[in-house]
């Protein structure tokens, strides 16, 4: 389980906080639930027990240590209950917040900017999947009626005896002409706009398109991660 969360330690996350959360999440995750991202609070002063936020494919979990880190409070919100998400970048970190359909506002501050951007992007992807679920088209089986076999009637033609050699005409020679195919010029692919020229909204739409391609099995997980990392570097 710990090996699974090592990927979240490359963006200023506190290793000790990640280790504590990992040990707790083992018993909290439901069947089929996967962790998408973990962000850890980083206040200007030394914080021994920072708050954390865990995003899975089913819910958002707010983790708040208490009793000197010996215990922890978990508050979760399913994606069905979340109406909107926001991120506000400040001088010392960012503030990630979301609102529920019951008009409840939840926020966690002092999140490092790169972590805040990633949880915001992941949250947008999950909300978009709820609004536009990916439906797999069922294959349509075509049935063809078998046509009855038609027996061909062979008509017998009586042959007449040729009495004059003039009636036998020589067969005209068969002339075959060969044509060499003209070389076709390769079509040049139309150039796409550079990522640096796109706005944040266009970058986010592009990331969503790659996510749909991944869900439909058109690209591999490694390709999606590479696209996602490149797009997020411009956001």
């Amino acid at each position: 389980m710990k090996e699974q969360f090592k990927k979240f330690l490359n963006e200023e996350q506190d290793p000790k906080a990640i280790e504590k959360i990992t040990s707790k999440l083992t018993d909290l995750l439901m069947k089929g639930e996967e962790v998408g991202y973990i962000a850890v609070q980083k206040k200007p002063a030394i914080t021994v027990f920072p708050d954390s936020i865990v995003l899975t494919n089913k819910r958002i979990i707010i983790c708040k240590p208490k009793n000197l880190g010996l215990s922890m409070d978990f508050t979760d919100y399913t994606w069905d209950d979340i109406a909107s998400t926001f991120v506000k970048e400040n001088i010392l970190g960012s503030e990630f917040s979301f609102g529920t359909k019951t008009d409840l506002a939840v926020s966690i501050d002092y999140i490092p900017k790169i972590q805040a951007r990633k949880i915001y992007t992941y949250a947008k992807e999950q909300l978009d999947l709820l609004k536009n679920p990916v439906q797999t088209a069922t294959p349509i089986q075509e049935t063809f009626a078998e046509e009855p076999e038609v027996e061909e009637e062979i008509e017998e033609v009586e042959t007449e005896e040729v009495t004059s050699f003039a009636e036998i005409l020589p067969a005209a020679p068969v002339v075959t002409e060969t044509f060499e195919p003209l070389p076709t010029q390769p079509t040049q692919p139309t150039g796409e706009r550079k990522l640096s020229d796109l706005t944040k909204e266009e970058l986010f739409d592009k990331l969503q398109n790659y996510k749909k391609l991944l869900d439909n099995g058109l690209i591999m997980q490694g390709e999606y991660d590479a696209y996602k990392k490149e797009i997020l570097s411009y956001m």
Side-chain angles (χ1 to χ4, degrees):
M1 187 72 173
K2 294 181 180 180
E3 296 293 331
Q4 180 182 357
F5 293 95
K6 283 186 177 180
K7 61 182 178 179
F8 302 121
L9 296 176
N10 57 352
E11 287 152 356
E12 303 180 20
Q13 285 94 337
D14 185 354
K16 293 183 179 179
I18 293 292
E19 185 178 359
K20 287 183 177 294
I21 295 171
T22 301
S23 60
K24 303 291 184 181
L25 286 178
T26 304
D27 300 325
L28 286 178
L29 294 180
M30 298 181 291
K31 184 177 180 181
E33 186 175 14
E34 297 180 357
V35 175
Y37 197 80
I38 300 176
V40 181
Q41 197 178 48
K42 188 177 182 181
K43 294 184 177 181
I46 298 176
T47 306
V48 181
F49 308 108
D51 296 342
S52 305
I53 180 170
V54 181
L55 277 71
T56 74
N57 59 334
K58 294 187 177 182
R59 52 183 169 162
I60 294 179
I61 306 174
I62 304 296
C63 312
K64 293 187 176 183
K66 63 178 184 178
N67 298 328
L68 299 178
L70 298 177
S71 60
M72 187 175 295
D73 286 339
F74 296 95
T75 309
D76 64 338
Y77 306 87
T78 62
W79 292 112
D80 292 333
D81 296 333
I82 296 173
S84 58
T85 59
F86 309 93
V87 63
K88 180 182 179 181
E89 293 189 355
N90 302 315
I91 298 177
L92 299 176
S94 300
E95 179 182 359
F96 176 78
S97 59
F98 58 90
T100 66
K101 294 179 180 178
T102 57
D103 296 332
L104 179 65
V106 181
S107 64
I108 179 171
D109 54 4
Y110 294 107
I111 298 292
K113 293 182 180 180
I114 186 171
Q115 297 182 39
R117 293 170 187 166
K118 291 205 171 184
I119 59 178
Y120 176 75
T121 301
Y122 186 86
K124 285 294 185 183
E125 291 175 357
Q126 295 302 316
L127 293 176
D128 183 68
L129 288 176
L130 287 178
K131 295 178 181 178
N132 305 302
V134 179
Q135 298 180 353
T136 56
T138 55
I140 301 175
Q141 297 181 354
E142 297 182 358
T143 56
F144 299 93
E146 297 183 357
E147 298 181 357
E149 297 182 357
V150 180
E151 297 181 357
E152 296 183 357
E153 297 181 357
I154 301 175
E155 182 179 357
E156 296 182 357
V157 180
E158 296 181 358
T159 58
E160 297 181 357
E161 183 179 358
V162 180
T163 56
S164 175
F165 291 102
E167 296 180 2
I168 304 175
L169 300 177
V174 179
V175 180
T176 59
E177 297 182 0
T178 59
F179 300 92
E180 295 183 358
L182 295 176
T184 58
Q185 297 180 351
T187 58
Q188 298 181 352
T190 58
E192 294 184 353
R193 293 174 59 190
K194 296 181 180 179
L195 293 178
S196 59
D197 298 334
L198 301 179
T199 63
K200 287 187 178 181
E201 289 75 12
E202 292 173 332
L203 288 171
F204 180 71
D205 292 339
K206 198 172 189 67
L207 181 62
Q208 287 183 327
N209 292 335
Y210 284 128
K211 176 67 176 176
K212 292 179 181 178
L213 292 176
L214 174 65
D215 295 336
N216 289 330
L218 300 179
I219 61 176
M220 303 296 292
Q221 181 67 42
E223 296 176 299
Y224 171 74
D225 293 339
Y227 291 137
K228 184 177 179 180
K229 182 176 181 181
E230 183 181 3
I231 291 174
L232 289 177
S233 65
Y234 290 95
M235 294 182 69

